[in-house]
Amino acid sequence: MKKVFTLLPLAVVCATQFAHAATDAERLAQVEQKLAMLQEQNEYDSLAERMSINGFFTGKMVAANNDAGFESATTNPNFADGSKLGLQGTFAISDQTQVVAQIVGRGSDDWTPEMEWAFLSHDFDNGFLARVGRLRLPLYMYSDFLEVGYAQPWATPPADVYTIAPISSFNGVDVTYQRDVGDATLALQVSYGNDSSSGEDNSVGKDVDFSDIAGLSATLSYEEWVFRGTYFQTDLNSKDTGLPLLGAFEKNKAQFVGAGISYDNGSLIAISEYTISKVEGTYADTESAYITLGYRIEAFTPYVSYSYLKTTDDEKRAGSPPDMALLNWQRTTYSAGTRYDISANLALKLDVTYADDFGGTSGALTSNIDSKTYANTKEFDDTIVYTVSFDAVF
């Protein structure tokens, strides 16, 4: 009905001009021209109905009581790291096939737009959904919402768990199968692809290629509970790292295992994840976990978190001080904060995080490593980080 009213004035104009046409050829040309205009109008309406654009924004300030650099926080307030603007566009090619693209600009990268998602998906209408392109690597419970701060209870996801993997997206394909199992819903997701990590984003400071990324994730949702398990593996390749024992990565097999559980009854929130990562050779194997408890009181959701990160193969690097300094980690982190929902799409979060128990290691902080000798300076043995975050979706 909407199109009828939209096209009605145009049809009247067509009829009037058609009556004054001198020849059959001119009349035919006018008809063809007006039909083209009508077709263009119909296509425009169709495109508008098939396309949707959403976005999110995070404005964040972090500061610390020292210059340890945990979560990019120092004594100088940092407004860049953690601040981001994202736009996600979806175009429905058909009722079952669509193209999705997500572009994110980060303050830490001078707001340079970067493609996080760009994939084509097809719903086979039998429980199977296939996607191909650039996809999120589904390692964690909040992987799909990693960039959307509004969708998370924290000001910042627990770093001891969410910074283990140096990549968050990959180029490849995944297939998800979802079905009801009694009163529960089970989703199985298999993924395969490749990606690379810049030396600026990993602990060894060298570009690393991740080939043959393959994994399976299983999520079971039952009433207020969500259970999740993940296994991924990949081959690592990189040039000489410059460290005596570590050397170069040449198809070193890496494995990641994760387990998570969450409970949310509308008031009480409980979330916990546990991860293990292993890499062939002397690169660090790790174990990490966190637990978060929160409680909604009207617009406020105060929460507390406990997390830890430690390496589990320090003996492999014994006798090599540079490797030990850079790749032996131990850290315990405590957080307390609150979320305040200003409106249905805007939240303010305040958080105080304390990290200590480095156990003589660097605590996985590059500020404790001499950039020339790789010696562990042990300059910082704890730090307190203060965070204020505004998160919005639109």
Side-chain angles (χ1 to χ4, degrees), residues 56-372:
F56 54 87
F57 174 79
T58 293
K60 182 178 290 187
M61 188 283 294
V62 294
N65 67 326
N66 56 26
D67 292 330
F70 183 52
E71 297 184 346
S72 302
T74 64
T75 52
N76 293 321
N78 182 344
F79 293 88
D81 287 270
S83 295
K84 68 193 81 170
L85 171 65
L87 294 175
Q88 179 171 312
T90 302
F91 180 78
I93 298 175
S94 69
D95 291 341
Q96 295 173 268
T97 306
Q98 62 181 13
V99 175
V100 178
Q102 184 185 94
I103 298 176
V104 179
R106 298 179 177 82
S108 56
D109 295 330
D110 295 326
W111 300 99
T112 302
E114 183 176 351
M115 189 70 73
E116 285 294 323
W117 289 2
F119 62 82
L120 183 146
S121 71
H122 182 80
D123 188 344
F124 289 90
D125 204 23
N126 57 0
F128 283 93
L129 174 69
R131 307 186 301 175
V132 61
R134 184 152 186 81
L135 306 163
R136 182 68 71 197
L137 192 61
L139 299 180
Y140 308 111
M141 296 188 74
Y142 282 81
S143 285
D144 284 348
F145 315 108
L146 200 57
E147 303 290 350
V148 187
Y150 183 84
Q152 306 164 10
W154 318 279
T156 303
D160 293 341
V161 171
Y162 276 76
T163 59
I164 293 300
I167 58 174
S168 58
S169 301
F170 71 105
N171 300 312
V173 59
D174 67 16
V175 177
T176 301
Y177 175 68
Q178 180 172 308
R179 64 166 298 172
D180 292 334
V181 181
D183 295 331
T185 299
L186 175 65
L188 301 174
Q189 182 179 16
V190 293
S191 307
Y192 177 80
N194 303 288
D195 201 48
S196 60
S197 171
S198 168
E200 298 176 353
D201 301 325
N202 60 59
S203 60
V204 296
K206 302 291 181 181
D207 295 344
V208 180
D209 292 328
F210 296 76
S211 60
D212 293 329
I213 301 171
L216 169 67
S217 300
T219 303
L220 181 69
S221 303
Y222 175 71
E223 296 182 348
E224 294 88 359
W225 295 91
V226 176
F227 305 89
R228 178 180 170 82
T230 302
Y231 173 81
F232 268 81
Q233 66 178 36
T234 184
D235 290 335
L236 304 182
N237 298 277
S238 182
K239 297 179 179 178
D240 189 0
T241 60
L243 292 175
L245 294 180
L246 190 57
F249 292 113
E250 294 181 358
K251 292 188 176 181
N252 287 25
K253 185 75 70 180
Q255 298 173 308
F256 178 93
V257 178
I261 182 173
S262 71
Y263 175 84
D264 187 345
N265 65 359
S267 298
L268 177 63
I269 303 172
I271 315 166
S272 183
E273 289 185 83
Y274 173 79
T275 70
I276 296 174
S277 69
K278 293 185 177 182
V279 181
E280 287 181 347
T282 56
Y283 187 78
D285 297 344
T286 68
E287 175 186 306
S288 63
Y290 76 84
I291 181 170
T292 296
L293 298 175
Y295 196 86
R296 295 187 181 90
I297 306 172
E298 298 183 349
F300 290 90
T301 307
Y303 64 84
V304 293
S305 288
Y306 163 83
S307 63
Y308 73 87
L309 164 67
K310 66 179 182 180
T311 48
T312 57
D313 59 345
D314 293 357
E315 70 282 357
K316 290 183 179 179
R317 294 173 290 278
S320 178
D323 295 79
M324 295 170 60
L326 196 63
L327 299 174
N328 289 5
W329 307 325
Q330 179 178 314
R331 185 173 70 209
T332 304
T333 306
Y334 308 88
S335 297
T338 188
R339 170 186 175 128
Y340 172 61
D341 286 282
I342 300 172
S343 64
N345 62 343
L346 177 64
L348 168 66
K349 299 172 186 174
L350 307 175
D351 181 280
V352 178
T353 292
Y354 174 63
D356 75 340
D357 191 24
F358 295 173
T361 73
S362 68
L365 300 176
T366 56
S367 57
N368 275 331
I369 306 296
D370 187 291
S371 60
K372 296 181 179 178

Side-chain angles (χ1 to χ4, degrees), residues 29-75:
Q30 287 183 356
V31 169
E32 290 177 344
Q33 181 182 3
K34 301 311 176 188
L35 285 175
M37 294 174 61
L38 290 171
Q39 184 177 4
E40 183 180 351
Q41 182 70 37
N42 277 324
E43 289 176 349
Y44 177 81
D45 287 347
S46 179
L47 286 173
E49 292 172 356
R50 293 183 178 191
M51 183 178 294
S52 65
I53 296 178
N54 304 101
F56 54 87
F57 174 79
T58 293
K60 182 178 290 187
M61 188 283 294
V62 294
N65 67 326
N66 56 26
D67 292 330
F70 183 52
E71 297 184 346
S72 302
T74 64
T75 52

